[in-house]
Amino acid sequence: MPKKHEKNKFSITVCGEFFPEIYPTHRSSKWSRGEEDPLTTEMRLFCACMRWAFNRLLEGASRHEIKKSGQELFGLNSRYADDARLKAQALLDSQTELLKLENEETEEKLGRARKKLSLAMRKLAKAEEKGAASEVIEKLRLAVKGRNKRVVSLAKRLAELKDYREKGTIPEVVFGGRRLWEKVCQGRAAREKWRHARRNRLYSRGDESKGGNPNIKIFYDGQDFRLAVSLSHLSEQTGIDKLGRPRMSQAPRVEGKLWLPEKHRELVQIWLAMKLPYAVELIRTLEGRYLVHLTFEVVRVQEPDFAKGCLAIDTNPDGVALCNVSASGQPEPWPEGFSVPYPGNLGKYEGEFQVIPYPNGFLYIRIPDLAHTSSFRRSYLIGVLAKVVVDIAFFSGKPIVLENLNFGKDRLDTNKKFNRMASNFPFAKMVGAMYRRAVKEGVPFKLVSPRHTSTIGYWKYMKRYAVPVHCAAALVTGRRAMGFRERVTIELRQLVSQIKQNLTRKVNPDRPGEGKGMTRGVRACLRRLEERLPVHNGLAQSEQEAYNSVWPDLKLLALSVR
């Protein structure tokens, strides 16, 4: 599930690398350790302050207390100490939210596990009552044993989570990474690697009143970008101000060249020229490289205007389906001279990037590697796909409409096929990449509910426009974003009646055979459709899209007769 953004607010992160060149001539005898350079000392003190602030927040300490004590204990200036507290607060908030989310997911998993256990126990009791073969009974007993163990495990985990929530605490946090610490305990990783992961960051938030960022400054000298990092632990006290606070000397800086990707250099130059705030996070790798993450807050995201229609998108594990929707809610052909901008930086093999056009403004972009490639390769391909989609929207002059899908952990259970698909489905990355690209290019976007889009597309538009169900679902997504209701047509009612007649002829309606023709489930589904189809068009849009509408029954009917 992608993170929800505030209205008209969005952040962009640019990654670069810092090459320190000019260091202060002196070291701190109080704060430095061994042969480490002053920048490494500052990062270690900042991370130690963050861990200390996290523990103080758990104890209920105030911001003023943490900020004041942090400066004295770790030798940082007030902004670094406050930034460390902010990072600790963000970690605490995320852990609290994750605890709530995991509690809800575990409750749903436990409910499903108990239902499966009850079903397995009934099957075992029937088999023993009928005197089934010993192999069948042994297999059912093994299934009951396995499902009972899962119920016990989930119940134990749920009790632990509820205990945390009742006490107002969170599970223990391991700075540096729990998995890495477990590897250290098992002797599979060096302790120094874990220690490095605990003290390898330095963060400074932006400040509009200070012209950008007071602690970690970026400037452009006409040819290259430069970065200057304040080393607050090397500043010395020169006196006390009127409020009794210590007055410190100006902190020395570490300066050097900042490398940024060519495609982001113009954006950073504009940002610096306007003196807008930016946050900087400096990360030191195990090899001694300094990675830089620049974060800019974009406060003006355009609202979508559907006067010309929209570009509707249906996301899938292997690509996206696109539909060029007109202002009337119907698909329209692509404008004259349109062509999909094929990315020039691919070419690993033929068929890596497939563009499958269909009549009437439908299109499917397929990248087979998305479903099974490594995470780094997948992120790269998603970025390429996002660029292509946003370029198409920019060319057509229409906003982008996406489905707000939810593939949370609560849906993962013992269905291996679905678990594999849901775990590999990079929907959150797709949406995030399209978000960022759309903001950079000034293309508006909107998220809509994905409920029943594939079912509606299957019954109403797939055969009408001779397109795959994914393209038909994209059309439904676009129509929903524009406020159109999906009515039950006369043709759809006639089709349902014809299906009912065909199924009734296959078997005796008085003795339905499960799995053959008119099953009990299909008969109940058709009975509900007879009641709901006549009144569907008179319902409000929210009622037409509800879970108890006609579309779930039509989905069941489609799965039964395909």
Side-chain angles (χ1 to χ4, degrees):
M1 182 69 185
K3 183 180 177 181
K4 294 182 179 179
H5 300 280
E6 297 180 16
K7 188 176 181 180
N8 294 331
K9 189 173 182 181
F10 195 84
S11 62
I12 299 175
T13 300
V14 178
C15 300
E17 186 170 356
F18 175 49
F19 300 92
E21 298 172 353
I22 305 174
Y23 284 91
T25 57
H26 63 285
R27 304 288 187 271
S28 172
S29 58
K30 179 180 180 180
W31 303 110
S32 62
R33 290 182 181 176
E35 299 296 327
E36 68 181 8
D37 59 76
L39 182 55
T40 303
T41 303
E42 189 80 7
M43 299 176 78
R44 174 175 55 81
L45 293 173
F46 179 85
C47 292
C49 183
M50 184 180 69
R51 297 194 299 270
W52 172 85
F54 181 81
N55 292 324
R56 300 294 78 77
L57 288 172
L58 292 177
E59 296 172 0
S62 65
R63 173 189 176 184
H64 177 72
E65 295 172 350
I66 295 175
K67 188 176 179 180
K68 183 178 179 181
S69 301
Q71 296 177 64
E72 299 173 357
L73 291 173
F74 302 98
L76 301 173
N77 61 26
S78 61
R79 291 193 66 85
Y80 272 142
D82 200 30
D83 291 341
R85 182 200 62 83
L86 282 174
K87 295 285 283 185
Q89 185 66 58
L91 177 61
L92 180 60
D93 293 342
S94 66
Q95 290 297 314
T96 304
E97 186 66 26
L98 284 173
L99 179 63
K100 177 182 177 182
L101 181 62
E102 189 174 358
N103 185 79
E104 295 173 355
E105 292 174 349
T106 306
E107 284 183 347
E108 293 186 14
K109 289 181 179 179
L110 181 59
R112 287 200 302 267
R114 284 173 173 166
K115 288 181 180 179
K116 290 185 176 182
L117 174 61
S118 176
L119 178 62
M121 293 177 67
R122 288 199 299 268
K123 286 184 177 180
L124 176 60
K126 288 183 179 180
E128 291 176 343
E129 182 181 351
K130 294 180 179 180
S134 58
E135 296 84 359
V136 176
I137 294 178
E138 187 63 29
K139 187 175 181 180
L140 291 173
R141 285 177 179 172
L142 187 63
V144 170
K145 182 179 179 182
R147 293 182 179 181
N148 186 58
K149 283 186 175 181
R150 178 168 176 79
V151 169
V152 172
S153 176
L154 289 173
K156 181 180 178 181
R157 179 58 180 167
L158 183 60
E160 293 176 356
L161 296 173
K162 287 186 176 180
D163 186 56
Y164 283 127
R165 297 196 66 182
E166 290 173 358
K167 293 180 179 178
T169 59
I170 59 173
E172 185 178 358
V173 176
V174 180
F175 288 90
R178 184 180 296 274
R179 290 185 181 180
L180 183 56
W181 172 244
E182 291 176 351
K183 289 183 179 180
V184 171
C185 296
Q186 297 168 2
R188 296 164 52 198
R191 185 180 292 267
E192 187 59 33
K193 184 177 180 181
W194 177 70
R195 286 176 176 169
H196 172 82
R198 289 164 56 88
R199 56 191 184 195
N200 66 341
R201 292 174 184 268
L202 183 64
Y203 173 78
S204 178
R205 71 188 188 280
D207 191 336
E208 190 172 2
S209 63
K210 303 291 184 179
N213 195 309
N215 276 337
I216 305 181
K217 287 185 174 294
I218 301 173
F219 52 93
Y220 185 67
D221 61 6
Q223 294 182 347
D224 298 313
F225 288 96
R226 306 282 296 179
L227 185 69
V229 184
S230 297
L231 304 177
S232 60
H233 74 280
L234 293 179
S235 61
E236 299 177 354
Q237 184 173 349
T238 59
I240 299 176
D241 62 9
K242 295 180 179 180
L243 299 177
R245 298 174 300 188
R247 183 178 291 144
M248 309 298 292
S249 63
Q250 185 176 3
R253 297 176 179 270
V254 173
E255 296 186 13
K257 182 180 178 181
L258 173 63
W259 174 87
L260 294 175
E262 188 68 31
K263 60 183 180 179
H264 298 308
R265 293 172 66 89
E266 184 179 356
L267 171 65
V268 178
Q269 288 182 34
I270 296 174
W271 209 268
L272 295 178
M274 298 176 65
K275 295 184 179 181
L276 296 174
Y278 54 88
V280 184
E281 186 169 24
L282 200 61
I283 305 171
R284 184 168 60 91
T285 66
L286 197 60
E287 297 80 17
R289 298 172 58 191
Y290 291 94
L291 306 181
V292 179
H293 293 172
L294 310 179
T295 303
F296 307 104
E297 293 290 340
V298 180
V299 295
R300 285 186 298 233
V301 178
Q302 297 183 33
E303 291 291 335
D305 181 12
F306 299 112
K308 295 182 180 180
C310 65
L311 180 67
I313 301 172
D314 180 74
T315 55
N316 298 285
D318 64 342
V320 294
L322 281 72
C323 178
N324 185 27
V325 185
S326 66
S328 62
Q330 299 299 323
E332 64 177 357
W334 299 103
E336 188 175 351
F338 168 79
S339 63
V340 177
Y342 190 90
N345 49 354
L346 293 179
K348 188 176 179 180
Y349 63 88
E350 188 176 357
E352 181 182 17
F353 185 87
Q354 303 174 15
V355 179
I356 308 172
Y358 295 94
N360 300 316
F362 291 98
L363 190 69
Y364 196 93
I365 301 177
R366 184 171 182 266
I367 303 180
D369 282 357
L370 278 178
H372 54 76
T373 190
S374 64
S375 60
F376 293 105
R377 176 70 176 168
R378 178 181 296 161
S379 298
Y380 168 73
L381 292 175
I382 288 174
V384 172
L385 181 61
K387 182 180 184 305
V388 171
V389 171
V390 174
D391 287 349
I392 294 174
F394 187 82
F395 176 82
S396 61
K398 295 182 178 181
I400 294 175
V401 175
L402 293 165
E403 291 179 313
N404 191 11
L405 289 174
N406 179 16
F407 276 79
K409 293 182 181 179
D410 59 304
R411 300 184 65 179
L412 303 185
D413 198 36
T414 54
N415 189 333
K416 294 182 179 180
K417 184 177 180 180
F418 177 81
N419 289 354
R420 188 180 300 111
M421 185 275 295
S423 299
N424 289 336
F425 191 14
F427 173 76
K429 287 186 177 181
M430 284 185 181
V431 173
M434 292 182 189
Y435 272 159
R436 294 189 294 271
R437 191 72 194 181
V439 170
K440 291 177 184 178
E441 299 294 339
V443 177
F445 58 85
K446 183 178 181 179
L447 289 177
V448 298
S449 171
R451 192 177 299 166
H452 314 314
T453 52
S454 296
T455 303
I456 298 172
Y458 173 84
W459 285 103
K460 293 190 63 177
Y461 303 114
M462 188 175 72
K463 291 185 178 179
R464 179 188 298 181
Y465 296 108
V467 294
V469 66
H470 303 303
C471 293
L475 173 59
V476 177
T477 302
R479 287 173 54 85
R480 181 169 295 175
M482 298 169 67
F484 289 98
R485 297 194 300 173
E486 297 297 341
R487 302 172 62 86
V488 173
T489 61
I490 298 177
E491 293 81 3
L492 180 55
R493 294 183 188 178
Q494 293 175 350
L495 181 59
V496 172
S497 300
Q498 185 63 40
I499 291 174
K500 181 179 180 180
Q501 293 178 6
N502 294 340
L503 292 177
T504 306
R505 293 194 195 101
K506 290 184 178 180
V507 295
N508 187 344
D510 298 327
R511 299 179 60 187
E514 289 296 329
K516 298 179 181 179
M518 181 70 79
T519 63
R520 291 181 177 88
V522 173
R523 172 171 289 182
C525 173
L526 290 171
R527 191 180 301 114
R528 290 192 298 269
L529 285 174
E530 288 180 357
E531 299 175 358
R532 295 175 178 176
L533 283 176
V535 299
H536 174 82
N537 292 343
L539 300 176
Q541 184 176 4
S542 59
E543 295 176 329
Q544 290 183 351
E545 299 171 4
Y547 284 110
N548 57 349
S549 63
V550 299
W551 304 116
D553 290 324
L554 287 172
K555 178 181 178 180
L556 177 61
L557 184 61
L559 294 175
S560 303
V561 300
R562 66 178 181 179

